[in-house]
Amino acid sequence: MDQSPQTIPHASVVAAMDAALAAARLGVRGANPLVGAAIIAPDGTAITGHHAGAGTAHAEPTAIRAARSAGIDLTASTLCVTLEPCSHHGRTPPCTDLILETGIPEVVLASADPNPAAAGGAQRLREAGVRVTTGVREAQARALNARWLTAVGERRPFVTVKIAQSLDGRIAAADGTSQWITSAASRARVHTLRARADAVIVGTGTALADDPRLTARPAAEAAETSEAEITQPVPVVVGMRGLDPASHLAQDPRTIHLRTRDPRSALEDLKTRGLDHVLVEGGAQLAGALVRADLVDELELHIAPLLLGDGLTGLADLGITTLADGIRWVSDPVEPLSDSAPNPDTLLRLSPTPAPTKGS
């Protein structure tokens, strides 16, 4: 940790950083890391903010706006942030500019930003006379964004795999029927996921069997929002077979068809095209290949209260023959996919269990 002087007790800083980490968990995983911020007022109280996803205000301006609304004197406050403030122009202005404009005298950081395009904020603040302390709750901040950090390090998009299935893990009945295993609430959730992603990926088998559009469409209750107003993800097909020339995807000029069986090379290709978050919707072979290669950063299971017995599974063979080799996942809190339905689907959001550190 830097040996910079602090204006408030260290215990208060740690408590505020814990509050910032809790706020960060309210965000959306994807192209951007989960980031939270907490402003410690002169009386020791903390006000938090978080980044809600790509294109929205970052955690720092969200917390600053809340502090201003509460009448807090920012020139006598400390800002705690779980990730180094950005110093570049992206979808939003640099957070370092706003911090300097407010006159906040001290900033405490959990971890540095590994993204070269966004790094450098701490140094800029120091050069402007702001006291900067780093490393407070660093391990917790890095654990929070472990898979995002992995994707950045591997120079590939963050990968979300979505599977809609029955209680016994079937995505279709024995005769192939699958519409609809899950509910309207689940399908609305899928369109929300698509709108957040830069690209939606399917394998050639799914493309040929279902003729999907892979567009994000507004929910019926949001009829005032037209499809044209939604930022549409890029449709991507992975696989060696050709598309039906009359299909929706073949007719869409934006469709990218990657003729490869190597999931890593496909992801690296998409990263070079500026696609930072991809949503994989099928099929079983593609999803299984991604899991086998440890390329899935987030798994969304939409589970219907339904048993199908024989049927199609959502993941192809993972090559696992013994229990000890099973791939374990960590789940966010379980939640229903509808508050009003008598028998709602269940949503599970999971991340791979982090690999043990050396010596553990």
Side-chain angles (χ1 to χ4, degrees):
M1 184 184 299
D2 294 354
Q3 299 302 310
S4 303
Q6 291 183 255
T7 59
I8 55 178
H10 181 70
S12 297
V13 171
V14 173
M17 189 64 79
D18 285 340
L21 287 165
R25 294 185 182 93
L26 301 175
V28 177
R29 298 183 189 274
N32 299 104
L34 298 178
V35 183
I39 291 176
I40 308 175
D43 65 359
T45 60
I47 289 184
T48 62
H50 70 279
H51 180 42
T56 65
H58 286 190
E60 299 94 324
T62 301
I64 287 171
R65 184 166 56 248
R68 280 175 167 162
S69 296
I72 291 173
D73 180 6
L74 293 173
T75 64
S77 300
T78 295
L79 171 64
C80 296
V81 189
T82 61
L83 185 70
E84 180 181 12
C86 64
S87 59
H88 73 298
H89 281 275
R91 295 186 183 182
T92 58
C95 290
T96 49
D97 287 359
L98 178 61
I99 294 169
L100 294 175
E101 290 170 8
T102 63
I104 292 173
E106 182 170 15
V107 175
V108 180
L109 308 178
S111 64
D113 194 326
N115 184 353
Q123 183 60 31
R124 179 157 182 250
L125 292 173
R126 287 192 180 98
E127 291 172 351
V130 177
R131 293 188 299 274
V132 178
T133 301
T134 61
V136 175
R137 291 293 199 236
E138 180 176 10
Q140 291 87 339
R142 293 185 65 83
L144 181 67
N145 287 303
R147 293 301 301 196
W148 179 81
L149 290 166
T150 296
V152 170
E154 294 179 354
R155 298 182 180 181
R156 61 168 178 79
F158 185 92
V159 177
T160 298
V161 170
K162 186 277 300 179
I163 299 175
Q165 64 175 51
S166 62
L167 284 172
D168 49 352
R170 306 301 179 181
I171 62 171
D175 64 356
T177 54
S178 62
Q179 293 186 342
W180 299 99
I181 286 178
T182 52
S183 66
S186 290
R187 297 194 292 278
R189 167 75 182 176
V190 170
H191 288 293
T192 298
L193 289 174
R194 289 180 181 179
R196 291 174 181 167
D198 296 320
V200 179
I201 307 177
V202 295
T204 50
T206 298
L208 292 169
D210 297 345
D211 190 20
R213 296 179 184 270
L214 304 186
T215 54
R217 297 186 289 280
E221 61 270 20
E224 69 275 8
T225 303
S226 71
E227 188 171 331
E229 292 175 305
I230 296 176
T231 300
Q232 291 294 337
V234 176
V236 178
V237 182
V238 176
M240 304 302 293
R241 287 183 286 177
L243 298 175
D244 179 349
S247 67
H248 292 120
L249 293 176
Q251 294 290 320
D252 189 336
R254 300 175 308 128
T255 297
I256 298 171
H257 186 180
L258 301 177
R259 294 178 180 270
T260 179
R261 292 189 176 92
D262 182 346
R264 187 175 294 276
S265 68
L267 292 175
E268 291 172 351
D269 184 320
L270 296 177
K271 180 68 173 180
T272 65
R273 300 171 189 255
L275 304 175
D276 295 321
H277 179 205
V278 298
L279 171 65
V280 180
E281 291 199 28
Q285 295 295 330
L286 176 59
L290 289 164
V291 171
R292 285 196 303 272
D294 191 27
L295 293 172
V296 177
D297 303 303
E298 179 183 45
L299 178 61
E300 274 223 5
L301 292 181
H302 298 187
I303 306 172
L306 171 72
L307 293 172
L308 288 175
D310 288 341
L312 303 178
T313 61
L315 290 172
D317 181 25
L318 299 178
I320 297 170
T321 57
T322 184
L323 182 63
D325 293 337
I327 304 170
R328 298 192 181 275
W329 299 72
V330 178
S331 175
D332 288 344
V334 178
E335 58 186 276
L337 272 162
S338 172
D339 292 330
S340 58
N343 296 295
D345 296 340
T346 299
L347 170 62
L348 280 181
R349 285 196 303 267
L350 308 108
S351 301
T353 302
T357 57
K358 293 181 179 179
S360 62

